[in-house]
Amino acid sequence: CSCRNFPRELRIEARSMEDPFQPLEDWEYDELDSFLLGLGHDEAVLSLSEFDGFITAVVSGPEMILPSEWLQVVWGGADNAPVLESPEAFNRICNLMFRHLNSTAATLMEAPSRYEPCFMESEVEGKKHLVVDDWCIGYMKGVMMRLELWYADEHKMVELLAPIPIFTNHEGWQLMDQLADRHIEYLQGEIEPAARAAHAYWLARREAFPAPEGCSLH
């Protein structure tokens, strides 16, 4: 998974592990990705790319969603929370998640032109291809948490979010099988501006909610 770093101009100088705004280092992305891959539940968020899409929707939507709620989606349900070897290990994972959420929110708020989704890559016969399905599935999981609010104006939201849902279901995947590579690449290229546009749309409409203690969301 190729994740771009938080813009250097917006980096927070404090480097303590407790800093909720400290962007993740490359090795921390790998640490979080390994943890997610090990969750082992079909409904869980099972990769860094999927988590990136999910958290992008969480910070972009019509209202704030508290960590106590969105973490249950990451686990694949309240009953599937992971059992780690110590409270410190659990806090470590949550710290990584919160920091990535905050850096994503700050980028979309302060430098939206620099926002880039964390897509995966595959290599077939020596040629690299973007894999956007996990990211899109994660994004739509975030949308589903407030589906009625997101789609209060269904026509507008269908227009804004296209083509993200196309990469999340069998009907869309069947369509991909019929398209030339250049058409698929065009649709993939539209995901990033769609995510920016959706964030801007809701930012202009949602009310200001107080951030939960210890986790400032934008």
Side-chain angles (χ1 to χ4, degrees), residues 9 22 33 41 48 53 67 83 86 108 113 150 163 185 205:
E9 295 87 337
Q22 179 183 334
D33 192 39
H41 189 278
L48 179 60
V83 179
S86 67
L108 285 166
S113 65
W150 274 85
E185 291 169 1
R205 288 161 177 79

Side-chain angles (χ1 to χ4, degrees), residues 54-95:
F54 173 69
I55 221 65
T56 299
V58 167
V59 302
S60 297
E63 67 179 25
M64 177 185 291
I65 301 176
L66 296 176
S68 57
E69 185 178 354
W70 61 255
L71 278 172
Q72 294 185 26
V73 178
V74 175
W75 311 145
D79 297 332
N80 298 308
V83 179
L84 300 181
E85 62 272 18
S86 67
E88 291 77 16
F90 183 82
N91 289 338
R92 166 64 178 169
I93 290 299
C94 288
N95 177 268

Side-chain angles (χ1 to χ4, degrees), residues 90-135:
F90 183 82
N91 289 338
R92 166 64 178 169
I93 290 299
C94 288
N95 177 268
L96 294 177
M97 291 183 179
F98 295 159
R99 284 167 51 201
H100 186 56
L101 178 145
N102 280 324
S103 61
T104 299
T107 302
L108 285 166
M109 286 283 292
E110 300 174 35
S113 65
R114 295 177 181 268
Y115 169 77
E116 295 180 328
C118 174
F119 296 145
M120 302 181 73
E121 287 184 342
S122 67
E123 186 170 332
V124 179
E125 297 180 352
K127 182 179 180 181
K128 291 185 177 181
H129 300 269
L130 277 182
V131 179
V132 304
D133 300 34
D134 283 1
W135 189 95

Side-chain angles (χ1 to χ4, degrees), residues 17 29 36 47 77 79 105 153 155 166-167 184 198-199 213:
M17 293 300 292
Y29 282 122
L36 295 169
S47 71
D79 297 332
D153 184 345
H155 176 77
I166 296 175
F167 292 93
I184 295 174
H199 180 272
E213 184 177 353

Side-chain angles (χ1 to χ4, degrees), residues 139-140 150-166 186-187 190-199 201-202 205:
Y139 191 95
M140 293 310 296
W150 274 85
Y151 281 88
D153 184 345
E154 183 173 2
H155 176 77
K156 180 62 176 179
M157 199 49 51
V158 168
E159 176 186 350
L160 269 180
L161 292 186
I164 294 173
I166 296 175
Y186 171 80
L187 291 173
E190 291 298 297
I191 293 171
E192 185 177 309
R196 292 196 191 108
H199 180 272
Y201 175 87
W202 287 117
R205 288 161 177 79

